[in-house]
Amino acid sequence: MTGYIVSRLIQTLVTIVGISVVVFFLARLSGDATALLIPPEATAEDREALKESLGLDDPLPVQYGIFVKGIITGDFGDSFRFGEPALDVFLDRFPNTLKLAAASAVVALLGGVSVGVLGAIRAGGFVDRLTTVIALLGQAIPSFLIGIMLILFFAVELRWLPTSGMAGPKTFIMPAIASAWYSMAALTRMTRSSMLDVMETDYIRLARLKGVPERAVIWKHAFRNALVPILSLFSLQIIFFVSGSVVIEQIFAWPGIGQLTIQAIFSRDYPLVQTIVFVTSTFLVLLNLGVDLLYAVIDPRIRLA
Amino acid sequence: MPPLLEVKNLQTHFITRSGVARAVDGVTFSLERGQTLGLVGESGSGKSVTCSSIVRLLPKGSGRIVGGEVLFEGRNLLDISENEMRRIRGSQISFVTQDPMTSLNPVYSIGNQMEEPLRYHQGMRNHGQLHAKVVEALTQVGIPSPERRVKDYPHQLSGGQRQRVVTAMAIECQPSLLIADEPTTALDVTVQIQILRLLKDVQKELNLGMILVTHDLSVIARTCDKVAVMYAGRIVEEGPIDEIFARPRHPYTRSLMRAIPQIGRKEDRLYSIPGQPPDVRRLPQGCPFAPRCPDVIDRCTHEAPTEQFFGSNHRARCLRAEEMGAS
Ligand SMILES: Nc1ncnc2c1ncn2[C@@H]1O[C@H](COP(=O)(O)OP(=O)(O)OP(=O)(O)O)[C@@H](O)[C@H]1O
Ligand SMILES: [Mg+2]
């Protein structure tokens, strides 16, 4: 157990260092920031002065050192565009993205798991066939289309829900469903097949032979065994919920990091881009670590290995 | 008093794409408390399906009990509700399954899994009480330091130990019938003997009726009171073991006996029955063993043999059963 945790912690740390390197150099590769920050008629001296004031004339390793020191002290520099600390600009928006991501994750997980389990225990039945078709459709239709269809139907046609923006629980419904849709379809299929595999095993048969009620056979004996592949898929999807929100946020005018990222990239706002990418990636890596530790809780063979 | 178990003309069919498989096709036998019945026959003869049918746990979808009666202490199990049936499983009728490596749930501790029959059948909730009961059951099946084993997970135990755990779980609620479907096939030879001895011990101690399924007639000879030989979904011969071993009436039983390896026998090659068991989806007219039978006569290929009785409890399904006993 300790060995498993320690090795996962080390892996996580290495990954975070890797992210910092990649983030730093990618931002530098994307072009000259000063080109956008000053008017075209500025002189070469003006340009140099600006570079110096932004710390862009130092050698790259020095710049990287400053960047790392900033990460540790929580100082990511000021956003070129907003003139405020980049971290503050980011943290202003990030919770909105997280709230939406969490809502989508809950929708996808609850929906995918319950429909998947239902399909597995009624394999071949009507409900199973129907959900298989829906799941296939879910994976074939892009999420922005789902979003637009939802808006047309529930906001424009029926006027049940607000079209866009973020204000109160109602506004979460459509964007959460739109961004959960694809993942939910994938989770449904994964849950169904994983449960079907487990239901065929000898230990499920023995549980029934022992007189365990069917409900406990499914949720206690089968589901926990089916959970590891479901969770692996889900942990990949978490990334998708957070970073893939760009499109959904655009459609629903959601005040999250999706829009902010696009703006930051187009204006070559290095500090902000770095902050967004680094903090978001680190957050996701830590979430993944959490999921890996969860495997150990679920499966004693991992815990005790 | 009615016998512990009376199976009458049981028929279990599988509806498959390629036709109806008559996996169990009119099986009849009975068993008293304290008795052990051996069930033998080649692979596919319907032994496991017979056992599963007794507790109505057939593979979902295709398998169906289409006829007969399963009288357990006089009550027909085929008539009761699923919920009543579930309460009998694991409390009055218990199973020891074939492969202990895969029969225990890998994600729950031994203790957790062993508590289940007590929780579900006896409504026991008190942790101390459950723990004490589980430790007692583990001690009974000879698991060393059971206090510690309770917290272990299946992958931390050897195959033999796991089969002991499965056995302990089966007898926790004091059943009256124990069904062991090839309980030792997946184990090492030395462990096989230990597990058979264990089963025999608990059977005596609890005065259980036991059905022991095996491919191995020599196991039957050592552990059973009577034996039923199955072929193509039917019992072709049944009787007390000394009777059957002394005067086998069915050519199939005789062939099985010839196939037992014996020390000091002069044959250089082990005898095996020629040919394949028939496909239960396309049973031939007449006797299903006829195509492989060393004693086949013309009549066998078109006339289905009926059961013939020899004394009160020895029966065989062969047209030539009478002459067979004489030879
Ligand atoms: N799930 C199933 N679907 C279709 N047919 C089945 C199924 N299970 C069993 N059968 C049929 O029932 C017959 C008897 O199977 P059973 O498992 O009872 O044999 P067995 O005597 O236990 O053999 P073994 O010694 O290999 O365990 C098989 O020949 C097969 O045709
Ligand atoms: Mg079998």
Side-chain angles (χ1 to χ4, degrees):
Chain A
M1 179 70 177
T2 347
Y4 176 73
I5 294 180
V6 168
S7 80
R8 288 299 294 119
L9 280 177
I10 293 173
Q11 275 176 29
T12 305
L13 206 67
V14 171
T15 313
I16 292 175
V17 171
I19 291 171
S20 75
V21 174
V22 171
V23 165
F24 176 80
F25 285 99
L26 271 188
R28 297 299 178 285
L29 281 177
S30 65
D32 184 358
T34 54
L36 288 172
L37 286 174
I38 50 176
E41 61 273 20
T43 62
E45 286 88 74
D46 290 342
R47 221 172 271 266
E48 285 313 308
L50 179 67
K51 274 195 173 175
E52 203 186 321
S53 75
L54 294 174
L56 292 175
D57 60 342
D58 293 328
L60 282 181
V62 175
Q63 286 189 41
Y64 178 71
I66 293 169
F67 175 63
V68 170
K69 190 173 150 233
I71 290 175
I72 294 164
T73 57
D75 174 13
F76 288 78
D78 288 351
S79 157
F80 295 165
R81 188 159 174 276
F82 296 91
E84 293 171 49
L87 191 62
D88 292 353
V89 175
F90 170 77
L91 289 181
D92 205 33
R93 301 285 197 91
F94 194 46
N96 295 341
T97 293
L98 280 189
K99 281 183 211 160
L100 180 56
S104 326
V106 169
V107 170
L109 195 60
L110 289 185
V113 163
S114 51
V115 176
V117 169
L118 198 72
I121 57 182
R122 302 223 189 290
F126 175 73
V127 177
D128 182 37
R129 278 161 211 227
L130 187 72
T131 51
T132 305
V133 172
I134 295 176
L136 273 174
L137 279 180
Q139 290 188 290
I141 304 174
S143 57
F144 73 86
L145 211 64
I146 299 282
I148 291 169
M149 280 172 3
L150 286 173
I151 292 176
L152 282 178
F153 194 67
F154 289 104
V156 178
E157 198 63 38
L158 295 173
R159 295 175 180 280
W160 285 354
L161 297 168
T163 46
S164 63
M166 178 184 138
K170 262 190 163 178
T171 54
F172 277 81
I173 299 175
M174 290 194 299
I177 292 177
S179 97
W181 188 259
Y182 180 87
S183 309
M184 187 163 84
L187 279 171
T188 302
R189 286 162 56 108
M190 176 60 91
T191 305
R192 181 181 181 277
S193 73
S194 181
M195 278 296 279
L196 278 179
D197 286 348
V198 173
M199 296 299 273
E200 291 294 308
T201 58
D202 288 348
Y203 54 82
I204 294 300
R205 187 174 142 77
L206 187 64
R208 290 193 173 125
L209 287 171
K210 282 197 295 190
V212 175
E214 194 60 18
R215 183 191 286 256
V217 168
I218 291 165
W219 292 107
K220 176 182 173 181
H221 284 276
F223 185 62
R224 181 142 163 208
N225 278 284
L227 203 53
V228 168
I230 297 171
L231 266 189
S232 335
L233 177 65
F234 184 65
S235 74
L236 292 176
Q237 291 176 340
I238 293 176
I239 297 173
F240 186 78
F241 289 132
V242 177
S243 60
S245 59
V246 177
V247 175
I248 295 294
E249 288 187 0
Q250 209 67 24
I251 294 173
F252 289 96
W254 195 263
I257 57 164
Q259 294 183 343
L260 190 68
T261 311
I262 296 174
Q263 291 165 6
I265 290 172
F266 281 120
S267 54
R268 302 225 169 91
D269 192 343
Y270 291 168
L272 191 53
V273 173
Q274 283 173 356
T275 311
I276 293 172
V277 179
F278 181 77
V279 180
T280 311
S281 315
T282 305
F283 177 78
L284 293 174
V285 170
L286 292 177
L287 259 184
N288 263 315
L289 175 68
V291 173
D292 283 349
L293 297 183
L294 207 57
Y295 292 152
V297 174
I298 293 170
D299 193 336
R301 285 166 298 184
I302 297 174
R303 192 184 329 145
L304 301 170
Chain B
M1 228 176 63
L4 175 66
L5 178 72
E6 224 180 336
V7 174
K8 287 184 181 168
N9 197 24
L10 180 69
Q11 288 175 295
T12 304
H13 294 177
F14 287 89
I15 321 295
T16 65
R17 273 190 200 160
S18 46
V20 176
R22 297 159 174 269
V24 173
D25 197 15
V27 161
T28 300
F29 65 88
S30 75
L31 184 70
E32 298 289 350
R33 270 200 100 119
Q35 250 187 352
T36 303
L37 168 73
L39 211 51
V40 271
E42 283 167 296
S43 194
S45 55
K47 306 180 296 292
S48 298
V49 175
T50 301
C51 296
S52 308
S53 301
I54 292 171
V55 292
R56 292 177 20 194
L57 267 185
L58 294 165
K60 242 187 181 169
S62 61
R64 198 153 297 149
I65 299 172
V66 294
E69 285 175 284
V70 176
L71 302 173
F72 178 68
E73 290 168 347
R75 193 152 75 126
N76 188 358
L77 297 184
L78 303 185
D79 285 342
I80 64 178
S81 72
E82 171 56 28
N83 199 33
E84 285 174 292
M85 187 68 238
R86 182 185 65 69
R87 281 196 223 127
I88 290 176
R89 289 181 203 129
S91 66
Q92 287 159 274
I93 304 180
S94 286
F95 268 75
V96 174
T97 44
Q98 182 168 350
D99 189 354
M101 301 314 271
T102 54
S103 293
L104 292 168
N105 194 324
V107 302
Y108 292 103
S109 68
I110 301 299
N112 181 321
Q113 297 184 59
M114 289 203 45
E115 282 172 9
E116 282 185 319
L118 301 168
R119 283 176 190 278
Y120 291 121
H121 296 305
Q122 304 187 340
M124 205 181 277
R125 290 283 177 272
N126 180 298
H127 283 283
Q129 227 180 339
L130 283 166
H131 181 79
K133 271 285 207 179
V134 167
V135 169
E136 186 193 319
L138 287 175
T139 314
Q140 198 177 357
V141 297
I143 294 267
S145 49
E147 293 277 352
R148 280 218 319 266
R149 284 306 184 198
V150 168
K151 290 189 213 76
D152 279 352
Y153 287 87
H155 72 271
Q156 294 168 297
L157 272 59
S158 70
Q161 281 178 323
R162 291 190 210 188
Q163 199 61 315
R164 284 176 194 272
V165 169
V166 173
T167 308
M169 211 144 63
I171 59 172
E172 267 178 320
C173 295
Q174 265 96 38
S176 43
L177 174 61
L178 184 68
I179 301 177
D181 189 351
E182 304 194 37
T184 60
T185 312
L187 299 169
D188 288 344
V189 183
T190 48
V191 184
Q192 283 186 4
I193 296 167
Q194 293 168 9
I195 294 294
L196 281 175
R197 194 169 299 148
L198 170 71
L199 287 172
K200 201 60 203 166
D201 287 348
V202 292
Q203 189 255 332
K204 283 222 185 80
E205 207 170 306
L206 299 175
N207 193 31
L208 299 173
M210 181 155 93
I211 299 176
L212 180 67
V213 176
T214 172
H215 285 265
D216 191 345
L217 267 180
S218 59
V219 166
I220 301 251
R222 269 183 282 137
T223 45
C224 299
D225 304 300
K226 52 184 191 171
V227 53
V229 180
M230 283 195 77
Y231 191 78
R234 295 176 177 204
I235 292 179
V236 291
E237 179 158 17
E238 195 222 18
I241 67 161
D242 35 356
E243 266 279 316
I244 300 270
F245 279 88
R247 266 179 304 280
R249 297 276 179 174
H250 199 289
Y252 180 59
T253 314
R254 294 161 151 256
S255 304
L256 285 178
M257 284 177 186
R258 279 186 71 192
I260 306 178
Q262 264 167 15
I263 300 164
R265 198 154 66 175
K266 284 211 194 84
E267 278 155 318
D268 17 298
R269 231 162 34 90
L270 205 60
Y271 176 80
S272 73
I273 307 168
Q276 293 291 316
D279 183 347
V280 287
R281 283 164 306 191
R282 278 175 282 280
L283 284 176
Q285 205 193 2
C287 174
F289 187 57
R292 307 166 72 190
C293 184
D295 305 301
V296 66
I297 51 174
D298 267 358
R299 269 174 73 204
C300 297
T301 53
H302 48 86
E303 189 177 328
T306 52
E307 235 161 22
Q308 300 190 41
F309 287 82
F310 306 92
S312 61
N313 45 18
H314 185 181
R315 61 197 162 104
R317 207 183 268 273
C318 173
L319 292 171
R320 301 182 66 191
E322 190 76 49
E323 341 162 19
M324 288 294 150
S327 64

